[in-house]
Every structure is written in C-alpha cells, then in structure tokens.
C-alpha cells in the first residue's frame, strides 16, 4: 500500500494491491493522518488562469489581459485574450496550439536523426506524465509543456522519440536520449523541480 500527495493539488492518492480490501486501505490512510496533514500543507495553492494572473508561457511570465481582439496575442509582457470570453478556456486552447507548433518540428528532427518515424502526435492534459510513446509509434504529450522553457519541451520530445528505439528506461535508452540531445540533463532536472508548478494551473472555474 502506498499513500502520496501530488503537487498538483488534486488530493491524496491511495494505491492498493489487488487483493487488499478497501477498508484495510482506509485504515492505513487514517493511521497516516498526521503525515497526510503535513504533506498537504506543503502543496502550494492552485493557480487560476483568469484576467490579471501571470502565467508562464515558454518559461516567461505573461499577464492575462482582456483586449478588443479576436485571437490571443502576446504583446510585451501581456498575454492578450478576447474580452468577453472565458480567459482560462481561451488560454488553454492557445497553449495547445503553441505546444503542437513546437513539438511537431522537434519530433520531426529527432525522428529523422534516429531514423525511425512516428505515426502521430496527440496532446492531452495528463497529470502523471509529460509524454508517452506507444509500441506502434504514437507520441502523446501534455500541452502544459507550452508553459515550460522551450528547451524543456524539446527534451521531452527527445525523450519520447528515443522510446521509438527503446521502449524502456534502460541504459541503452538514456544513451539514445544523450545522442539526440547531449545537453538534456539540466532540462530534465528543471522539469523534476518545477513541473509540479505547471500542474497547479486551473483553466476552468
């Protein structure tokens, strides 16, 4: 049995082996109540993508600002959004476009360098992983990568493309990642240290 408190503010998660009854798991969680309270206090509050909020876009904080425009625009330190429309929904849709515009050429380049094509790219709002690769070559990424520095997004693209050759995290896999992106280590470290902050952003009321 394991008990953890995710940094994305979604609440504690209890994981039980198949043969362990739920009431035994509940007893286990209740016995760790003190730890749960302390761990929950260390989770930062959720951020709401609303007018006036500063949201990171490719690692740069931009203030969400309503304007008389039809499409989202970056102007200086402002992220202009059409006034009268729900800011969170509009910003989330725009971030998906940014993520895809960056991920597609990155994956194309790494795929060509590897000599293995991928079948498709899909974007989702995942909570447990930044990307994945299926056995038939389909790549999936979290569109929240658009909020991370561009080099971090590029690292995740290299990571998932490397899985086209090695569907594990073996020594050979990490050697492949280094071949594709020799300087990937600090970007991987950034994601481990700050990725949870990106998960805290809420785009719907």
């Amino acid at each position: 049995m394991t008990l953890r408190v995710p940094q994305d503010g979604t609440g504690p998660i209890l994981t039980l082996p198949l043969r362990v009854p739920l009431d035994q798991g509940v007893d286990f969680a209740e016995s760790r109540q003190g730890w749960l309270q302390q761990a929950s206090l260390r989770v930062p509050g959720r951020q709401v993508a609303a007018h006036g909020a500063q949201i990171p876009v490719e690692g740069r904080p931009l203030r969400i600002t309503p304007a008389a425009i039809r499409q989202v625009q970056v102007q200086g330190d402002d992220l202009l959004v059409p006034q009268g429309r729900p800011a969170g929904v509009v910003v989330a849709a725009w971030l998906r476009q940014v993520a895809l515009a960056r991920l597609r050429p990155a994956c194309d380049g790494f795929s060509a360098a590897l000599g293995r094509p991928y079948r498709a790219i899909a974007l989702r709002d995942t909570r447990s992983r930044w990307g994945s690769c299926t056995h038939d070559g389909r790549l999936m990424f979290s569109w929240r990568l658009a909020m991370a520095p561009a080099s971090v997004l590029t690292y995740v693209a290299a990571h998932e493309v490397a899985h086209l050759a090695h569907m594990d995290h073996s020594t050979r896999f990490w050697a492949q990642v280094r071949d594709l992106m020799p300087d990937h280590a600090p970007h991987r470290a950034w994601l481990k240290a700050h990725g949870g902050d990106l998960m805290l952003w809420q785009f719907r009321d």
Side-chain angles (χ1 to χ4, degrees):
M1 292 183 288
T2 62
L3 188 62
R4 65 187 181 89
V5 178
Q7 291 296 298
D8 64 2
T10 53
I13 295 176
L14 173 66
T15 304
L16 305 176
L18 287 175
R19 293 187 175 88
V20 174
L22 180 59
D23 57 351
Q24 189 174 335
V26 171
D27 290 342
F28 171 73
E30 289 178 346
S31 72
R32 304 295 192 276
Q33 190 170 27
W35 176 86
L36 268 177
Q37 290 175 344
Q38 292 298 316
S40 297
L41 288 174
R42 291 193 294 270
V43 176
R46 304 203 78 175
Q47 303 287 327
V48 179
H51 295 156
Q54 277 197 319
I55 188 169
V57 176
E58 296 189 307
R60 174 186 167 203
L62 298 178
R63 187 174 301 281
I64 301 174
T65 306
I69 56 175
R70 300 184 69 178
Q71 295 182 331
V72 176
Q73 300 175 21
V74 175
Q75 191 173 97
D77 292 330
D78 291 326
L79 181 63
L80 304 182
V81 298
Q83 59 191 16
R85 295 177 61 189
V89 174
V90 171
V91 171
W94 180 76
L95 286 172
R96 287 178 66 94
Q97 295 175 5
V98 172
L100 188 59
R102 304 292 183 268
L103 284 164
R104 194 178 297 283
C107 290
D108 287 348
F110 291 132
S111 176
L114 185 64
R116 296 190 181 219
Y118 62 90
R119 288 191 61 183
I121 290 179
L123 298 180
R124 297 197 180 98
D125 191 11
T126 52
R127 295 292 171 175
S128 60
R129 58 178 62 186
W130 292 103
S132 64
C133 175
T134 64
H135 285 280
D136 63 351
R138 298 178 186 274
L139 305 178
M140 186 283 298
F141 298 95
S142 168
W143 54 259
R144 289 174 184 258
L145 286 168
M147 294 189 282
S151 55
V152 174
L153 177 148
T154 303
Y155 155 66
V156 178
H159 183 115
E160 299 310 329
V161 168
H163 278 309
L164 294 171
H166 305 286
M167 290 297 293
D168 53 29
H169 288 99
S170 62
T171 302
R172 291 188 306 162
F173 165 79
W174 286 111
Q176 186 66 73
V177 175
R178 284 193 299 274
D179 286 344
L180 293 175
M181 191 177 186
D183 62 342
H184 75 278
H187 313 309
R188 182 187 179 202
W190 188 98
L191 199 57
K192 285 187 174 182
H194 304 289
D197 297 338
L198 306 185
M199 293 297 183
L200 292 172
W201 282 94
Q202 181 176 333
F203 294 88
R204 294 183 183 274
D205 296 336

